[in-house]
Amino acid sequence: MCAQQLRNEEFGTVYYEPNFYKTKYKAPEGSPYLNEVFTAARINDRDETHFVRFDAVEGVVEIQMAQDRVIVLDNSIPYTITLLNGNDQVYETHEYINPKGDKVSTFLRVVHRSENYTLFVRENKKYFKEVKAQGYAAAEPAVFKKTQDQFYIMDKRKTSGSVVPLPGNSKGFREFFENDAGRIKSYIKTNKLSISQSEDLVAIFDYYFGQ
């Protein structure tokens, strides 16, 4: 049964059929997942291997419990998910405050971890509803599309240890550094760096925290 509400002793969440999203979104093109195929992973410090996939629309992680059954992990519980496919990717549960002032919990991928900071990214997808033909405008099917990644930073020098979204525009990004905005602007310009590229963000924050 789809979305049968059963509790699980280990993870404590809700069961679904693996293809439930096709019913939920009326069989659109593509899928909400970063990779629709489940990937082997280790969850926290558990020895056993689980198979997971990441829903980039809802910001949740599914675990395959059986061929016809998956569960959705509870974002409010601390999890660290290490993929075992050779790419060493790690995802963690974190809370942050969104632009509306609401507290949100989601899974973020670790981009870089250093003594002073950790840089994260959330890889996003968006669902676009079907558009019916009107006049000369052709119909467009419902579809999932990759949207801009959102980066986050955790300043380990602060006792709160909270995760903060990084502004995606140049002006807002520079203002994030407050009194160091001018120095960061000059560093970005001199080194021709982009705030939308993870490796460039690592260079910027290594420079900032290294001073």
Side-chain angles (χ1 to χ4, degrees), residues 12 34 40 51-52 71 75 97 111 117 130 140 146 178 193 209-210:
L34 296 180
F51 289 85
V52 305
I71 61 171
N75 282 352
I97 305 299
V111 174
Y117 76 94
E130 176 186 8
E140 296 180 12
K146 182 81 168 60
E178 299 178 339
L193 302 176
F209 284 103

Coordinates of all heavy atoms in Angstrom, one line a residue, residues 12 34 40 51-52 71 75 97 111 117 130 140 146 178 193 209-210:
G12 N 12.1 5.0 12.3 CA 10.9 5.6 12.8 C 10.3 6.6 11.8 O 10.3 7.8 12.0
L34 N 18.1 12.8 -7.3 CA 19.4 13.1 -7.8 C 19.9 11.9 -8.7 O 20.4 12.1 -9.8 CB 20.5 13.3 -6.7 CG 20.2 14.5 -5.8 CD1 21.3 14.7 -4.8 CD2 20.2 15.8 -6.7
A40 N 24.4 2.2 -2.4 CA 24.9 1.7 -1.2 C 25.4 2.8 -0.3 O 26.2 3.7 -0.8 CB 25.9 0.6 -1.4
F51 N 20.6 1.0 1.3 CA 20.6 1.6 -0.1 C 19.7 2.8 -0.1 O 18.5 2.7 0.4 CB 20.1 0.5 -1.1 CG 21.1 -0.6 -1.3 CD1 21.2 -1.7 -0.5 CD2 22.0 -0.5 -2.4 CE1 22.2 -2.6 -0.7 CE2 23.0 -1.4 -2.6 CZ 23.1 -2.5 -1.7
V52 N 20.2 3.9 -0.5 CA 19.5 5.2 -0.4 C 19.4 5.9 -1.7 O 20.2 5.7 -2.7 CB 20.3 6.1 0.6 CG1 20.5 5.4 2.0 CG2 21.7 6.6 0.1
I71 N 11.5 3.8 2.9 CA 11.1 4.7 4.0 C 11.8 6.1 3.8 O 12.8 6.1 3.1 CB 11.5 4.2 5.4 CG1 13.0 4.0 5.6 CG2 10.7 2.9 5.7 CD1 13.4 3.7 7.0
N75 N 14.0 14.2 8.9 CA 15.1 15.2 8.8 C 15.4 15.9 10.2 O 16.4 16.5 10.3 CB 14.6 16.4 7.9 CG 14.8 16.0 6.4 OD1 15.4 15.0 6.1 ND2 14.3 16.8 5.5
I97 N 17.7 28.6 8.8 CA 16.6 29.5 8.7 C 16.5 30.0 7.2 O 17.4 30.5 6.7 CB 16.8 30.8 9.6 CG1 17.0 30.3 11.1 CG2 15.6 31.7 9.5 CD1 15.9 29.5 11.7
V111 N 30.8 19.6 1.1 CA 31.7 20.0 0.0 C 33.1 20.0 0.5 O 34.0 19.5 -0.2 CB 31.3 21.3 -0.6 CG1 32.3 21.8 -1.6 CG2 29.9 21.3 -1.2
Y117 N 35.7 25.8 9.3 CA 34.4 25.9 8.7 C 34.1 24.6 7.9 O 35.0 23.8 7.6 CB 34.3 27.1 7.7 CG 35.0 26.9 6.4 CD1 34.4 26.4 5.3 CD2 36.4 27.1 6.2 CE1 35.0 26.2 4.0 CE2 37.1 26.9 5.1 CZ 36.4 26.4 4.0 OH 37.0 26.2 2.8
E130 N 2.1 20.4 -15.6 CA 1.7 20.3 -17.0 C 1.0 21.6 -17.4 O 0.3 22.2 -16.6 CB 0.7 19.2 -17.2 CG 0.2 19.1 -18.6 CD -0.9 18.0 -18.8 OE1 -1.3 17.5 -17.7 OE2 -1.3 17.8 -19.9
E140 N 2.8 21.7 -22.7 CA 4.1 21.3 -22.1 C 3.8 20.2 -21.0 O 3.0 20.5 -20.1 CB 4.8 22.5 -21.5 CG 5.2 23.5 -22.5 CD 6.0 24.7 -21.9 OE1 6.4 24.5 -20.7 OE2 6.2 25.7 -22.6
K146 N 16.4 20.3 -13.0 CA 17.5 20.7 -12.0 C 17.5 22.2 -11.9 O 17.4 22.9 -12.9 CB 18.9 20.2 -12.6 CG 20.1 20.5 -11.7 CD 20.2 19.5 -10.6 CE 21.5 19.6 -9.8 NZ 21.8 21.0 -9.2
E178 N 30.5 41.2 6.0 CA 30.5 42.4 6.7 C 31.7 43.3 6.6 O 32.0 43.8 5.5 CB 30.2 42.1 8.2 CG 28.9 41.3 8.5 CD 28.7 40.9 9.9 OE1 29.7 40.9 10.7 OE2 27.5 40.7 10.3
L193 N 37.1 34.4 -9.5 CA 36.4 33.3 -8.9 C 34.9 33.5 -9.1 O 34.4 34.6 -9.2 CB 36.7 33.2 -7.4 CG 38.2 33.0 -7.1 CD1 38.4 33.0 -5.6 CD2 38.7 31.7 -7.7
F209 N 39.1 32.5 6.2 CA 39.4 32.0 7.5 C 40.8 31.9 7.8 O 41.2 31.7 8.9 CB 38.7 30.6 7.6 CG 37.2 30.7 7.8 CD1 36.3 30.4 6.8 CD2 36.7 31.0 9.1 CE1 35.0 30.5 7.0 CE2 35.3 31.0 9.3 CZ 34.5 30.8 8.2
G210 N 41.7 31.9 6.8 CA 43.1 31.8 7.0 C 43.8 33.1 7.4 O 45.0 33.1 7.7

